[in-house]
Amino acid sequence: NRLAWSEVASNLSKYVLVDVRSPESYGQGHLKGALNIHEFFTHLPTSNSQDFKSYFEGLLGQKGIHNAQQLVFYEDRLDGLFGASCRANFIMQRLGMSTFNIFEGMQGVKA
């Protein structure tokens, strides 16, 4: 699922913004209110799907994110981290969460 930034910006209270870039890139600038979860790009799954699910559920819980929220993932651009935001979206859909990607990436956002 992809959204235009204009859709997200007009309904910010509806979404939780998740920046999947490195902590260093996040520290250099991010969308206001965004949480940084780079592990969507760096964590490698094990053969045990329950361990994988538990890992991300625990990580999201530490960030205060729960199942009822709609997450929006972004990065600099879709080819910057080899589609890390798409990977995050896929992982969260497998965990049963409603997720979206900002189509333009952060470069397309003027906020």
Side-chain angles (χ1 to χ4, degrees):
N1 298 332
R2 291 187 176 171
L3 292 175
W5 172 246
S6 58
E7 169 69 21
V8 175
S10 65
N11 295 296
L12 274 177
S13 63
K14 181 178 173 181
Y15 304 108
V16 175
L17 298 175
V18 180
D19 185 321
V20 298
R21 300 173 304 144
S22 71
E24 296 79 20
S25 294
Y26 177 82
Q28 292 174 5
H30 56 272
L31 299 178
K32 185 177 179 180
L35 302 171
N36 182 229
I37 307 178
H38 187 55
E39 289 83 354
F40 284 112
F41 181 65
T42 60
H43 184 74
L44 297 175
T46 64
S47 59
N48 184 330
S49 62
Q50 187 58 43
D51 287 347
F52 187 72
K53 181 177 180 178
S54 295
Y55 175 82
F56 279 105
E57 286 176 344
L59 182 63
L60 294 172
Q62 291 172 7
K63 300 282 186 174
I65 298 172
H66 56 80
N67 252 359
Q69 295 174 298
Q70 292 186 341
L71 307 180
V72 175
F73 298 104
Y74 74 90
E75 55 193 290
D76 287 330
R77 58 191 188 281
L78 289 179
D79 64 348
L81 280 176
F82 307 102
S85 59
C86 296
R87 184 175 194 264
N89 190 32
F90 176 78
I91 290 169
M92 296 316 299
Q93 285 182 350
R94 298 287 298 199
L95 296 179
M97 292 189 73
S98 179
T99 62
F100 304 91
N101 290 49
I102 297 176
F103 180 70
E104 300 96 340
M106 193 168 156
Q107 287 185 340
V109 174
K110 305 288 188 238

